[in-house]
Amino acid sequence: MSAVDWYLTLATGLFCIGAYGVLARRNVILIVMSLELMLNAVNIALVAFADFLPGAAGRGTFFALFIITLAAAEVTVGLAIVVANYRYSRSVQADEFSEMKG
Amino acid sequence: MTAAGVVTLLPFIALTLSAVVVMLAGTFHTSHRLTVGLTLGGLAWTLAMLPVTAARGGRQVTELLLLDDYTLFFIGLLVLTTAGVVLLSYGYLERRESHPHDYYTLLLLATLGGATLVASTHFASFFLGLEVLSVSLYTLIAYPRLHADFIEAGVKYLVLAAATAAFLLFGMALVYAELGTMSLNGFALLHVTGGGAADTSLLVGGFVLIIVGIGFKLGVVPFHMWTPDIYQGAPAPVTAFVATVSKGAMVALLLRYFRGVSLNPHDTVWIVFAAIAAASMIAGNLLALLQSNVKRLLAYSSIAHLGYILVAFLAVGRTAAVAVGFYLVAYFVTTLGAFGVVAELSGAERDADRIDDYRGLAARRPLLAATFALVLFSLAGIPLTVGFLGKFYVVNAGARSQLWWLLIVLVATSTIGLYYYTRIVVAMYVEQPQALPSAPRPARLGAIAGSRASDAVLIVVAGLVLFLGIYPAPLIRLLEHVVAGLP
């Protein structure tokens, strides 16, 4: 395995852990943390690729900056909604969100 | 970026500035009416800037955005639809929220996101547009904090949209690693030239992950799970926005960069899209049969309609691209009308989303019932409506490319669709209202003005459904010109 493969393996591993967390966690705050893990796994992959690709260096890095910014926005809004819900149900458990079905 | 670039970007600048103006106006405790006026003014300004940009010819602004006639047409469509949503929101929020300024700011920002998505030529602008749209929508869906349903819908959309955005990004990273470019054009060339480069597993993996992200935004099977919950949980005008602007912007992007897929029907990607289309038509129409909630029913019907659009998307040639555009316009108009009726009937307590709410509507609100019946017939594809012609063009495009089995699924499932649309019409015209008192006419001044605003939207929608259903030639000509630049 070349060096870039190791980075790819690390990124894929982190991404899968994050995806598992989104699916398996019951606490909305932990779900949001798992989402962060997924997005940051992408950042690792992008920065690694940007470093190893000939000629296109830098492109991946600036894209990672976009992702960091937007991930922050996403988490802010996510936590705000969780707080709004806490006012209603006094809970941050995802199981609470099962009113609608069908 | 050059000065010329700035002039070309005027529609985007207009949208952004309007969002800022509406936000600042909100801090001065302006009235709801003024806020709506400012929002509509901003949208009108954006529309007025489109010809200015168009006169300069198709222009690439930096690596990120391309403003050609195709982009401008879809931006115009998105902006007009948003104006409709704003007018619907006026009456709806007047009955509920006391300070709805942020709502309109978010609506403008979400439109900006959609416009960026349509104009994007690069992974970065694609992602930025998508996220500006999504993050605004999280808040819009959960906006009227009066009911737990709204918040539930907001959280569900947030988690699913963020997770699929991560899948999309990982896909982009893999494609970038393999191709060394983040331009969507390089990506589009890939499946036009076919096999060769697409053999590597990284690229196929990246492609699949990107399809996950796109499929989620379109709400097609198997990424449709969020659709019914969000449609039911979100406030009715926001649902109209999610169903039209958010999906339409993605269809426009798909049509521009994934058209090459249609050239090779034995390609894996083609088969994946065909399977998605067929599954969406079948699952959407069958599950809609089971619904007793009008918003959920419309959600499943929209899944089916996106399936129809994908059929035209998979067909070859200019006519197919025109068919996608026409169907999209038809879908925008009718969906706006359907949710407009739901929004107009919704009281302060909850949205009018049970079929029982529509019993005997023809006797209580004859015009509203007639409009709803008209848009439902259009969704079902009855002749003389725009929905019929939309389906006609889709079938025509499919037949030219000999997509027989997809067309068989389309026709068979449309027949099922007829049943559940008619069920609402029957409830409105044949069944008697239940004992429950009819929704009291709004008494407050603002609420009456709000009702007039939604009536105006519904009249325009009804007019368009009939006009385009009888005389589609001008729109077809425009679409032919617009898609001429596509590969």
Side-chain angles (χ1 to χ4, degrees), chain A residues 15 35 39 49-50 53 56 59-60 63 66 70 74 77-78 81 85 88 97 99-102, chain B residues 63 124 127-128 131 138 145-146 151-152 155-156 158 162-163 173 176-177 180 182 229 296 300:
Chain A
F15 191 84
L35 287 173
L39 291 172
F49 293 150
L53 276 172
R59 292 286 162 72
F63 197 41
F66 277 132
L70 278 157
E74 212 151 276
V77 174
I81 296 177
N85 182 60
Y88 278 99
F97 299 113
E99 288 291 311
M100 293 182 286
K101 286 198 180 75
Chain B
E63 262 182 78
F127 172 65
L128 272 177
E131 286 299 284
Y138 304 154
R145 299 174 299 269
L146 300 173
I151 294 177
E152 178 183 336
V155 172
K156 278 182 176 165
L158 171 91
Y176 168 60
M182 288 202 164
D229 281 356
R296 288 186 90 86
Y300 283 110

mmCIF file of all heavy atoms in Angstrom, chain A residues 15 35 39 49-50 53 56 59-60 63 66 70 74 77-78 81 85 88 97 99-102, chain B residues 63 124 127-128 131 138 145-146 151-152 155-156 158 162-163 173 176-177 180 182 229 296 300:
data_model
loop_
_atom_site.group_PDB
_atom_site.id
_atom_site.type_symbol
_atom_site.label_atom_id
_atom_site.label_comp_id
_atom_site.label_asym_id
_atom_site.label_seq_id
_atom_site.Cartn_x
_atom_site.Cartn_y
_atom_site.Cartn_z
ATOM 1 N N PHE A 15 -15.227 7.489 8.471
ATOM 2 C CA PHE A 15 -16.524 7.733 7.853
ATOM 3 C C PHE A 15 -17.527 6.656 8.274
ATOM 4 O O PHE A 15 -18.671 6.944 8.637
ATOM 5 C CB PHE A 15 -16.355 7.745 6.332
ATOM 6 C CG PHE A 15 -17.563 8.239 5.584
ATOM 7 C CD1 PHE A 15 -17.772 9.595 5.406
ATOM 8 C CD2 PHE A 15 -18.493 7.352 5.064
ATOM 9 C CE1 PHE A 15 -18.882 10.061 4.728
ATOM 10 C CE2 PHE A 15 -19.603 7.809 4.383
ATOM 11 C CZ PHE A 15 -19.800 9.162 4.206
ATOM 12 N N LEU A 35 -22.220 12.954 12.814
ATOM 13 C CA LEU A 35 -22.231 13.646 11.510
ATOM 14 C C LEU A 35 -20.924 14.395 11.307
ATOM 15 O O LEU A 35 -20.337 14.382 10.215
ATOM 16 C CB LEU A 35 -23.405 14.621 11.450
ATOM 17 C CG LEU A 35 -24.791 14.013 11.294
ATOM 18 C CD1 LEU A 35 -25.856 15.089 11.430
ATOM 19 C CD2 LEU A 35 -24.911 13.329 9.946
ATOM 20 N N LEU A 39 -18.094 14.153 8.250
ATOM 21 C CA LEU A 39 -17.611 15.286 7.449
ATOM 22 C C LEU A 39 -16.105 15.450 7.591
ATOM 23 O O LEU A 39 -15.404 15.751 6.618
ATOM 24 C CB LEU A 39 -18.330 16.568 7.866
ATOM 25 C CG LEU A 39 -19.817 16.615 7.501
ATOM 26 C CD1 LEU A 39 -20.499 17.816 8.123
ATOM 27 C CD2 LEU A 39 -19.979 16.648 5.984
ATOM 28 N N PHE A 49 -5.497 13.669 -0.592
ATOM 29 C CA PHE A 49 -5.481 13.591 -2.048
ATOM 30 C C PHE A 49 -4.823 14.834 -2.644
ATOM 31 O O PHE A 49 -4.059 14.752 -3.600
ATOM 32 C CB PHE A 49 -6.905 13.454 -2.600
ATOM 33 C CG PHE A 49 -7.565 12.155 -2.249
ATOM 34 C CD1 PHE A 49 -8.943 12.088 -2.098
ATOM 35 C CD2 PHE A 49 -6.827 11.000 -2.072
ATOM 36 C CE1 PHE A 49 -9.561 10.891 -1.775
ATOM 37 C CE2 PHE A 49 -7.433 9.797 -1.748
ATOM 38 C CZ PHE A 49 -8.806 9.744 -1.598
ATOM 39 N N ALA A 50 -5.164 16.001 -2.074
ATOM 40 C CA ALA A 50 -4.613 17.249 -2.596
ATOM 41 C C ALA A 50 -3.098 17.228 -2.521
ATOM 42 O O ALA A 50 -2.408 17.747 -3.392
ATOM 43 C CB ALA A 50 -5.164 18.438 -1.816
ATOM 44 N N LEU A 53 -1.855 14.363 -5.262
ATOM 45 C CA LEU A 53 -2.134 14.529 -6.687
ATOM 46 C C LEU A 53 -1.127 15.480 -7.305
ATOM 47 O O LEU A 53 -0.868 16.542 -6.752
ATOM 48 C CB LEU A 53 -3.533 15.100 -6.886
ATOM 49 C CG LEU A 53 -4.681 14.115 -6.879
ATOM 50 C CD1 LEU A 53 -5.994 14.862 -6.886
ATOM 51 C CD2 LEU A 53 -4.592 13.196 -8.078
ATOM 52 N N ALA A 56 -2.676 19.366 -9.282
ATOM 53 C CA ALA A 56 -3.908 19.948 -8.763
ATOM 54 C C ALA A 56 -3.788 20.306 -7.289
ATOM 55 O O ALA A 56 -4.780 20.482 -6.606
ATOM 56 C CB ALA A 56 -5.060 18.975 -8.960
ATOM 57 N N ARG A 59 -6.294 22.377 -4.451
ATOM 58 C CA ARG A 59 -7.729 22.349 -4.708
ATOM 59 C C ARG A 59 -8.480 21.637 -3.583
ATOM 60 O O ARG A 59 -9.478 22.141 -3.080
ATOM 61 C CB ARG A 59 -8.016 21.628 -6.025
ATOM 62 C CG ARG A 59 -7.545 22.371 -7.216
ATOM 63 C CD ARG A 59 -8.479 23.576 -7.474
ATOM 64 N NE ARG A 59 -7.846 24.550 -8.328
ATOM 65 C CZ ARG A 59 -7.640 24.379 -9.623
ATOM 66 N NH1 ARG A 59 -8.022 23.283 -10.210
ATOM 67 N NH2 ARG A 59 -7.047 25.300 -10.333
ATOM 68 N N GLY A 60 -7.983 20.494 -3.230
ATOM 69 C CA GLY A 60 -8.654 19.723 -2.185
ATOM 70 C C GLY A 60 -8.629 20.449 -0.859
ATOM 71 O O GLY A 60 -9.577 20.392 -0.082
ATOM 72 N N PHE A 63 -11.301 23.113 -0.665
ATOM 73 C CA PHE A 63 -12.608 22.473 -0.523
ATOM 74 C C PHE A 63 -12.829 22.057 0.930
ATOM 75 O O PHE A 63 -13.925 22.204 1.476
ATOM 76 C CB PHE A 63 -12.685 21.266 -1.465
ATOM 77 C CG PHE A 63 -14.072 20.787 -1.717
ATOM 78 C CD1 PHE A 63 -15.118 21.691 -1.910
ATOM 79 C CD2 PHE A 63 -14.355 19.435 -1.771
ATOM 80 C CE1 PHE A 63 -16.410 21.254 -2.161
ATOM 81 C CE2 PHE A 63 -15.650 18.990 -2.021
ATOM 82 C CZ PHE A 63 -16.673 19.904 -2.221
ATOM 83 N N PHE A 66 -14.122 24.882 2.930
ATOM 84 C CA PHE A 66 -15.571 25.046 2.761
ATOM 85 C C PHE A 66 -16.314 24.093 3.688
ATOM 86 O O PHE A 66 -17.299 24.450 4.340
ATOM 87 C CB PHE A 66 -15.980 24.738 1.322
ATOM 88 C CG PHE A 66 -15.805 25.882 0.379
ATOM 89 C CD1 PHE A 66 -15.180 25.694 -0.834
ATOM 90 C CD2 PHE A 66 -16.267 27.142 0.700
ATOM 91 C CE1 PHE A 66 -15.021 26.739 -1.714
ATOM 92 C CE2 PHE A 66 -16.122 28.199 -0.168
ATOM 93 C CZ PHE A 66 -15.494 27.989 -1.378
ATOM 94 N N LEU A 70 -19.072 24.965 6.614
ATOM 95 C CA LEU A 70 -20.476 24.580 6.530
ATOM 96 C C LEU A 70 -20.848 23.565 7.593
ATOM 97 O O LEU A 70 -21.976 23.545 8.068
ATOM 98 C CB LEU A 70 -20.780 24.063 5.130
ATOM 99 C CG LEU A 70 -21.011 25.264 4.220
ATOM 100 C CD1 LEU A 70 -20.778 24.929 2.780
ATOM 101 C CD2 LEU A 70 -22.422 25.799 4.421
ATOM 102 N N GLU A 74 -23.951 23.837 10.096
ATOM 103 C CA GLU A 74 -24.893 22.733 10.248
ATOM 104 C C GLU A 74 -25.073 22.355 11.718
ATOM 105 O O GLU A 74 -26.191 22.162 12.188
ATOM 106 C CB GLU A 74 -24.379 21.546 9.455
ATOM 107 C CG GLU A 74 -25.452 20.698 8.895
ATOM 108 C CD GLU A 74 -24.991 20.019 7.631
ATOM 109 O OE1 GLU A 74 -25.058 20.620 6.547
ATOM 110 O OE2 GLU A 74 -24.549 18.892 7.751
ATOM 111 N N VAL A 77 -27.144 25.051 13.672
ATOM 112 C CA VAL A 77 -28.583 24.934 13.446
ATOM 113 C C VAL A 77 -29.119 23.666 14.112
ATOM 114 O O VAL A 77 -30.170 23.676 14.749
ATOM 115 C CB VAL A 77 -28.878 24.929 11.938
ATOM 116 C CG1 VAL A 77 -30.339 24.654 11.683
ATOM 117 C CG2 VAL A 77 -28.500 26.259 11.337
ATOM 118 N N GLY A 78 -28.356 22.582 13.982
ATOM 119 C CA GLY A 78 -28.788 21.318 14.571
ATOM 120 C C GLY A 78 -28.984 21.443 16.062
ATOM 121 O O GLY A 78 -30.026 21.056 16.603
ATOM 122 N N ILE A 81 -32.048 23.457 17.015
ATOM 123 C CA ILE A 81 -33.306 22.709 16.906
ATOM 124 C C ILE A 81 -33.445 21.729 18.073
ATOM 125 O O ILE A 81 -34.531 21.544 18.630
ATOM 126 C CB ILE A 81 -33.384 21.978 15.546
ATOM 127 C CG1 ILE A 81 -33.426 22.999 14.415
ATOM 128 C CG2 ILE A 81 -34.613 21.100 15.486
ATOM 129 C CD1 ILE A 81 -33.441 22.394 13.042
ATOM 130 N N ASN A 85 -36.456 21.628 20.760
ATOM 131 C CA ASN A 85 -37.222 20.429 21.090
ATOM 132 C C ASN A 85 -37.171 20.130 22.580
ATOM 133 O O ASN A 85 -38.159 19.676 23.164
ATOM 134 C CB ASN A 85 -36.691 19.243 20.303
ATOM 135 C CG ASN A 85 -37.489 17.999 20.597
ATOM 136 O OD1 ASN A 85 -38.672 17.972 20.356
ATOM 137 N ND2 ASN A 85 -36.851 16.995 21.153
ATOM 138 N N TYR A 88 -39.860 21.403 24.640
ATOM 139 C CA TYR A 88 -41.136 20.688 24.593
ATOM 140 C C TYR A 88 -41.110 19.418 25.406
ATOM 141 O O TYR A 88 -41.958 19.158 26.238
ATOM 142 C CB TYR A 88 -41.485 20.299 23.154
ATOM 143 C CG TYR A 88 -42.097 21.400 22.393
ATOM 144 C CD1 TYR A 88 -41.337 22.149 21.530
ATOM 145 C CD2 TYR A 88 -43.444 21.704 22.562
ATOM 146 C CE1 TYR A 88 -41.898 23.188 20.833
ATOM 147 C CE2 TYR A 88 -44.005 22.742 21.870
ATOM 148 C CZ TYR A 88 -43.236 23.477 21.008
ATOM 149 O OH TYR A 88 -43.786 24.508 20.333
ATOM 150 N N PHE A 97 -38.755 11.260 18.456
ATOM 151 C CA PHE A 97 -39.190 11.722 17.143
ATOM 152 C C PHE A 97 -39.857 10.604 16.365
ATOM 153 O O PHE A 97 -39.354 10.158 15.350
ATOM 154 C CB PHE A 97 -38.002 12.266 16.353
ATOM 155 C CG PHE A 97 -37.347 13.431 17.022
ATOM 156 C CD1 PHE A 97 -36.068 13.324 17.512
ATOM 157 C CD2 PHE A 97 -38.037 14.607 17.174
ATOM 158 C CE1 PHE A 97 -35.466 14.398 18.124
ATOM 159 C CE2 PHE A 97 -37.434 15.686 17.789
ATOM 160 C CZ PHE A 97 -36.154 15.580 18.270
ATOM 161 N N GLU A 99 -43.508 10.511 16.087
ATOM 162 C CA GLU A 99 -44.938 10.814 16.048
ATOM 163 C C GLU A 99 -45.528 10.471 14.675
ATOM 164 O O GLU A 99 -46.659 10.039 14.567
ATOM 165 C CB GLU A 99 -45.158 12.301 16.329
ATOM 166 C CG GLU A 99 -44.908 12.727 17.767
ATOM 167 C CD GLU A 99 -45.956 12.177 18.701
ATOM 168 O OE1 GLU A 99 -47.148 12.330 18.375
ATOM 169 O OE2 GLU A 99 -45.589 11.589 19.721
ATOM 170 N N MET A 100 -44.743 10.745 13.629
ATOM 171 C CA MET A 100 -45.287 10.607 12.279
ATOM 172 C C MET A 100 -44.887 9.272 11.675
ATOM 173 O O MET A 100 -43.718 8.920 11.678
ATOM 174 C CB MET A 100 -44.775 11.748 11.410
ATOM 175 C CG MET A 100 -45.310 13.084 11.842
ATOM 176 S SD MET A 100 -44.760 14.389 10.779
ATOM 177 C CE MET A 100 -43.072 14.559 11.262
ATOM 178 N N LYS A 101 -45.852 8.571 11.168
ATOM 179 C CA LYS A 101 -45.571 7.275 10.547
ATOM 180 C C LYS A 101 -46.493 7.064 9.365
ATOM 181 O O LYS A 101 -47.486 7.755 9.214
ATOM 182 C CB LYS A 101 -45.823 6.151 11.559
ATOM 183 C CG LYS A 101 -44.766 6.024 12.624
ATOM 184 C CD LYS A 101 -44.874 4.666 13.278
ATOM 185 C CE LYS A 101 -43.838 4.475 14.356
ATOM 186 N NZ LYS A 101 -44.182 5.221 15.563
ATOM 187 N N GLY A 102 -46.166 6.047 8.547
ATOM 188 C CA GLY A 102 -47.133 5.645 7.529
ATOM 189 C C GLY A 102 -46.649 5.652 6.110
ATOM 190 O O GLY A 102 -45.740 6.219 5.695
ATOM 191 N N GLU B 63 -14.171 29.723 -11.715
ATOM 192 C CA GLU B 63 -14.328 28.315 -12.071
ATOM 193 C C GLU B 63 -15.666 27.773 -11.586
ATOM 194 O O GLU B 63 -16.054 26.662 -11.919
ATOM 195 C CB GLU B 63 -13.226 27.497 -11.380
ATOM 196 C CG GLU B 63 -12.044 27.194 -12.240
ATOM 197 C CD GLU B 63 -11.058 26.357 -11.466
ATOM 198 O OE1 GLU B 63 -11.300 25.164 -11.336
ATOM 199 O OE2 GLU B 63 -10.069 26.915 -10.966
ATOM 200 N N ALA B 124 -17.251 22.507 -5.593
ATOM 201 C CA ALA B 124 -17.345 23.434 -4.463
ATOM 202 C C ALA B 124 -18.650 24.221 -4.507
ATOM 203 O O ALA B 124 -19.350 24.328 -3.495
ATOM 204 C CB ALA B 124 -16.151 24.385 -4.466
ATOM 205 N N PHE B 127 -21.607 21.927 -3.765
ATOM 206 C CA PHE B 127 -21.753 21.662 -2.327
ATOM 207 C C PHE B 127 -22.244 22.900 -1.576
ATOM 208 O O PHE B 127 -23.145 22.811 -0.732
ATOM 209 C CB PHE B 127 -20.415 21.185 -1.771
ATOM 210 C CG PHE B 127 -20.383 21.062 -0.278
ATOM 211 C CD1 PHE B 127 -21.184 20.138 0.367
ATOM 212 C CD2 PHE B 127 -19.569 21.870 0.487
ATOM 213 C CE1 PHE B 127 -21.172 20.030 1.744
ATOM 214 C CE2 PHE B 127 -19.549 21.766 1.860
ATOM 215 C CZ PHE B 127 -20.349 20.844 2.495
ATOM 216 N N LEU B 128 -21.677 24.069 -1.918
ATOM 217 C CA LEU B 128 -22.100 25.306 -1.243
ATOM 218 C C LEU B 128 -23.577 25.580 -1.472
ATOM 219 O O LEU B 128 -24.326 25.864 -0.529
ATOM 220 C CB LEU B 128 -21.289 26.491 -1.767
ATOM 221 C CG LEU B 128 -19.981 26.788 -1.063
ATOM 222 C CD1 LEU B 128 -19.295 27.945 -1.753
ATOM 223 C CD2 LEU B 128 -20.244 27.143 0.387
ATOM 224 N N GLU B 131 -25.726 23.142 0.462
ATOM 225 C CA GLU B 131 -25.760 23.353 1.912
ATOM 226 C C GLU B 131 -26.505 24.631 2.285
ATOM 227 O O GLU B 131 -27.228 24.669 3.274
ATOM 228 C CB GLU B 131 -24.336 23.391 2.476
ATOM 229 C CG GLU B 131 -23.702 22.033 2.537
ATOM 230 C CD GLU B 131 -24.465 21.078 3.437
ATOM 231 O OE1 GLU B 131 -24.368 21.201 4.671
ATOM 232 O OE2 GLU B 131 -25.165 20.201 2.915
ATOM 233 N N TYR B 138 -33.573 23.459 7.105
ATOM 234 C CA TYR B 138 -33.698 22.886 8.458
ATOM 235 C C TYR B 138 -34.498 23.839 9.329
ATOM 236 O O TYR B 138 -35.404 23.458 10.051
ATOM 237 C CB TYR B 138 -32.352 22.712 9.170
ATOM 238 C CG TYR B 138 -31.299 21.903 8.469
ATOM 239 C CD1 TYR B 138 -29.953 22.130 8.744
ATOM 240 C CD2 TYR B 138 -31.632 20.917 7.580
ATOM 241 C CE1 TYR B 138 -28.964 21.404 8.121
ATOM 242 C CE2 TYR B 138 -30.644 20.192 6.951
ATOM 243 C CZ TYR B 138 -29.314 20.439 7.231
ATOM 244 O OH TYR B 138 -28.335 19.734 6.622
ATOM 245 N N ARG B 145 -42.538 27.293 15.823
ATOM 246 C CA ARG B 145 -42.226 26.404 16.943
ATOM 247 C C ARG B 145 -43.457 26.097 17.780
ATOM 248 O O ARG B 145 -43.377 25.921 18.975
ATOM 249 C CB ARG B 145 -41.158 27.041 17.826
ATOM 250 C CG ARG B 145 -39.870 27.301 17.112
ATOM 251 C CD ARG B 145 -38.928 28.061 17.986
ATOM 252 N NE ARG B 145 -39.488 29.349 18.363
ATOM 253 C CZ ARG B 145 -39.289 30.461 17.664
ATOM 254 N NH1 ARG B 145 -38.568 30.438 16.581
ATOM 255 N NH2 ARG B 145 -39.818 31.600 18.066
ATOM 256 N N LEU B 146 -44.623 26.080 17.147
ATOM 257 C CA LEU B 146 -45.854 25.930 17.914
ATOM 258 C C LEU B 146 -46.225 24.477 18.092
ATOM 259 O O LEU B 146 -47.015 24.127 18.934
ATOM 260 C CB LEU B 146 -46.997 26.646 17.198
ATOM 261 C CG LEU B 146 -46.754 28.130 17.014
ATOM 262 C CD1 LEU B 146 -47.840 28.728 16.148
ATOM 263 C CD2 LEU B 146 -46.719 28.810 18.373
ATOM 264 N N ILE B 151 -40.859 20.490 14.704
ATOM 265 C CA ILE B 151 -39.501 20.261 15.193
ATOM 266 C C ILE B 151 -39.053 18.851 14.849
ATOM 267 O O ILE B 151 -37.918 18.636 14.426
ATOM 268 C CB ILE B 151 -39.437 20.527 16.707
ATOM 269 C CG1 ILE B 151 -39.690 22.021 16.935
ATOM 270 C CG2 ILE B 151 -38.095 20.116 17.270
ATOM 271 C CD1 ILE B 151 -39.727 22.413 18.365
ATOM 272 N N GLU B 152 -39.972 17.906 14.997
ATOM 273 C CA GLU B 152 -39.630 16.526 14.644
ATOM 274 C C GLU B 152 -39.187 16.469 13.182
ATOM 275 O O GLU B 152 -38.155 15.874 12.855
ATOM 276 C CB GLU B 152 -40.835 15.615 14.866
ATOM 277 C CG GLU B 152 -40.540 14.184 14.475
ATOM 278 C CD GLU B 152 -41.758 13.275 14.636
ATOM 279 O OE1 GLU B 152 -42.639 13.610 15.434
ATOM 280 O OE2 GLU B 152 -41.776 12.230 13.967
ATOM 281 N N VAL B 155 -35.663 18.015 12.756
ATOM 282 C CA VAL B 155 -34.551 17.161 13.189
ATOM 283 C C VAL B 155 -34.333 16.032 12.202
ATOM 284 O O VAL B 155 -33.195 15.723 11.822
ATOM 285 C CB VAL B 155 -34.811 16.601 14.605
ATOM 286 C CG1 VAL B 155 -33.765 15.571 14.960
ATOM 287 C CG2 VAL B 155 -34.826 17.726 15.602
ATOM 288 N N LYS B 156 -35.423 15.422 11.744
ATOM 289 C CA LYS B 156 -35.288 14.308 10.806
ATOM 290 C C LYS B 156 -34.587 14.777 9.525
ATOM 291 O O LYS B 156 -33.690 14.107 9.017
ATOM 292 C CB LYS B 156 -36.665 13.737 10.461
ATOM 293 C CG LYS B 156 -37.182 12.778 11.493
ATOM 294 C CD LYS B 156 -38.511 12.192 11.089
ATOM 295 C CE LYS B 156 -38.965 11.163 12.105
ATOM 296 N NZ LYS B 156 -40.376 10.837 11.949
ATOM 297 N N LEU B 158 -32.658 17.374 9.155
ATOM 298 C CA LEU B 158 -31.278 17.741 9.471
ATOM 299 C C LEU B 158 -30.368 16.528 9.456
ATOM 300 O O LEU B 158 -29.338 16.508 8.778
ATOM 301 C CB LEU B 158 -31.223 18.412 10.844
ATOM 302 C CG LEU B 158 -29.821 18.644 11.377
ATOM 303 C CD1 LEU B 158 -29.349 20.006 10.954
ATOM 304 C CD2 LEU B 158 -29.753 18.522 12.866
ATOM 305 N N ALA B 162 -27.787 16.000 6.407
ATOM 306 C CA ALA B 162 -26.360 16.135 6.709
ATOM 307 C C ALA B 162 -25.632 14.831 6.423
ATOM 308 O O ALA B 162 -24.521 14.841 5.875
ATOM 309 C CB ALA B 162 -26.181 16.542 8.163
ATOM 310 N N ALA B 163 -26.252 13.693 6.755
ATOM 311 C CA ALA B 163 -25.591 12.411 6.508
ATOM 312 C C ALA B 163 -25.414 12.186 5.010
ATOM 313 O O ALA B 163 -24.333 11.788 4.551
ATOM 314 C CB ALA B 163 -26.396 11.274 7.126
ATOM 315 N N ALA B 173 -14.758 13.424 -3.065
ATOM 316 C CA ALA B 173 -13.348 13.251 -2.741
ATOM 317 C C ALA B 173 -12.755 12.097 -3.546
ATOM 318 O O ALA B 173 -11.640 12.196 -4.070
ATOM 319 C CB ALA B 173 -13.188 13.012 -1.241
ATOM 320 N N TYR B 176 -12.401 13.080 -7.153
ATOM 321 C CA TYR B 176 -11.273 14.015 -7.230
ATOM 322 C C TYR B 176 -9.955 13.269 -7.197
ATOM 323 O O TYR B 176 -9.040 13.564 -7.983
ATOM 324 C CB TYR B 176 -11.389 14.992 -6.059
ATOM 325 C CG TYR B 176 -10.179 15.852 -5.810
ATOM 326 C CD1 TYR B 176 -9.692 16.720 -6.774
ATOM 327 C CD2 TYR B 176 -9.541 15.800 -4.571
ATOM 328 C CE1 TYR B 176 -8.603 17.515 -6.516
ATOM 329 C CE2 TYR B 176 -8.448 16.601 -4.310
ATOM 330 C CZ TYR B 176 -7.971 17.454 -5.289
ATOM 331 O OH TYR B 176 -6.897 18.237 -5.029
ATOM 332 N N ALA B 177 -9.864 12.272 -6.337
ATOM 333 C CA ALA B 177 -8.617 11.507 -6.241
ATOM 334 C C ALA B 177 -8.303 10.832 -7.564
ATOM 335 O O ALA B 177 -7.148 10.748 -7.974
ATOM 336 C CB ALA B 177 -8.736 10.465 -5.139
ATOM 337 N N GLY B 180 -8.426 14.000 -10.535
ATOM 338 C CA GLY B 180 -7.561 15.149 -10.297
ATOM 339 C C GLY B 180 -8.223 16.470 -10.629
ATOM 340 O O GLY B 180 -7.578 17.494 -10.700
ATOM 341 N N MET B 182 -11.967 18.932 -9.929
ATOM 342 C CA MET B 182 -13.224 19.065 -9.225
ATOM 343 C C MET B 182 -14.273 19.699 -10.109
ATOM 344 O O MET B 182 -15.353 20.051 -9.660
ATOM 345 C CB MET B 182 -13.028 19.922 -7.983
ATOM 346 C CG MET B 182 -12.266 19.197 -6.919
ATOM 347 S SD MET B 182 -12.614 19.941 -5.352
ATOM 348 C CE MET B 182 -12.032 18.667 -4.286
ATOM 349 N N ASP B 229 -42.496 12.196 5.917
ATOM 350 C CA ASP B 229 -42.423 12.815 7.244
ATOM 351 C C ASP B 229 -42.215 14.319 7.150
ATOM 352 O O ASP B 229 -42.833 15.090 7.879
ATOM 353 C CB ASP B 229 -41.285 12.200 8.065
ATOM 354 C CG ASP B 229 -41.688 10.862 8.651
ATOM 355 O OD1 ASP B 229 -42.865 10.485 8.467
ATOM 356 O OD2 ASP B 229 -40.850 10.196 9.271
ATOM 357 N N ARG B 296 -49.118 13.691 3.198
ATOM 358 C CA ARG B 296 -48.350 12.461 2.956
ATOM 359 C C ARG B 296 -48.675 11.898 1.582
ATOM 360 O O ARG B 296 -47.794 11.407 0.868
ATOM 361 C CB ARG B 296 -48.665 11.415 4.027
ATOM 362 C CG ARG B 296 -48.087 11.717 5.367
ATOM 363 C CD ARG B 296 -48.329 10.560 6.315
ATOM 364 N NE ARG B 296 -47.242 9.595 6.272
ATOM 365 C CZ ARG B 296 -46.135 9.694 6.991
ATOM 366 N NH1 ARG B 296 -45.970 10.704 7.806
ATOM 367 N NH2 ARG B 296 -45.201 8.789 6.913
ATOM 368 N N TYR B 300 -45.963 11.073 -1.417
ATOM 369 C CA TYR B 300 -45.739 9.857 -2.206
ATOM 370 C C TYR B 300 -45.970 10.139 -3.679
ATOM 371 O O TYR B 300 -45.281 9.593 -4.545
ATOM 372 C CB TYR B 300 -46.633 8.728 -1.699
ATOM 373 C CG TYR B 300 -46.100 8.124 -0.427
ATOM 374 C CD1 TYR B 300 -46.738 8.307 0.782
ATOM 375 C CD2 TYR B 300 -44.935 7.374 -0.448
ATOM 376 C CE1 TYR B 300 -46.238 7.767 1.956
ATOM 377 C CE2 TYR B 300 -44.420 6.830 0.717
ATOM 378 C CZ TYR B 300 -45.073 7.023 1.912
ATOM 379 O OH TYR B 300 -44.565 6.492 3.064
#
